[in-house]
Amino acid sequence: MAAATALPVRPNGARRNAPRSPRIAAGMTNGEIAGELAIAPKTASAHVEHILAKLGVSRRAEIATWVANIALPTTAPAKADPAVLSHR
């Protein structure tokens, strides 16, 4: 894995993307996200691409890292869940 990239604390549109980012971090597919948010799967895909671009990353697992460590921090460091980090 390449060196860690410094991810922004609050990228532009963070409030708007708030409902989507945790779902991506949980390993949900675009279709599953679309079903929960009552949007088209293609719209969910576009939102995922926008989040990737805003964070300056290329993988959904990097969104999960951002959510776990920056967007929704906890008192204890998040443990990596291989099921969440697997690329869908």
Side-chain angles (χ1 to χ4, degrees):
M1 185 173 175
T5 303
L7 299 176
V9 173
R10 294 304 253 177
N12 294 336
R15 180 182 307 229
R16 204 168 152 198
N17 292 323
R20 295 162 191 91
S21 300
R23 288 174 171 85
I24 297 165
M28 294 177 73
T29 66
N30 292 340
E32 292 167 337
I33 294 168
E36 279 202 9
L37 298 177
I39 59 176
K42 191 166 184 170
T43 302
S45 176
H47 288 302
V48 171
E49 292 303 318
H50 292 148
I51 294 167
L52 290 168
K54 286 176 185 176
L55 292 176
V57 298
S58 59
R59 296 175 25 234
R60 294 169 80 104
E62 292 170 299
I63 295 173
T65 299
W66 178 78
V67 168
N69 296 315
I70 298 169
L72 301 172
T74 60
T75 56
K79 291 187 177 184
D81 181 355
V84 171
L85 297 178
S86 65
H87 184 69
R88 289 184 175 221

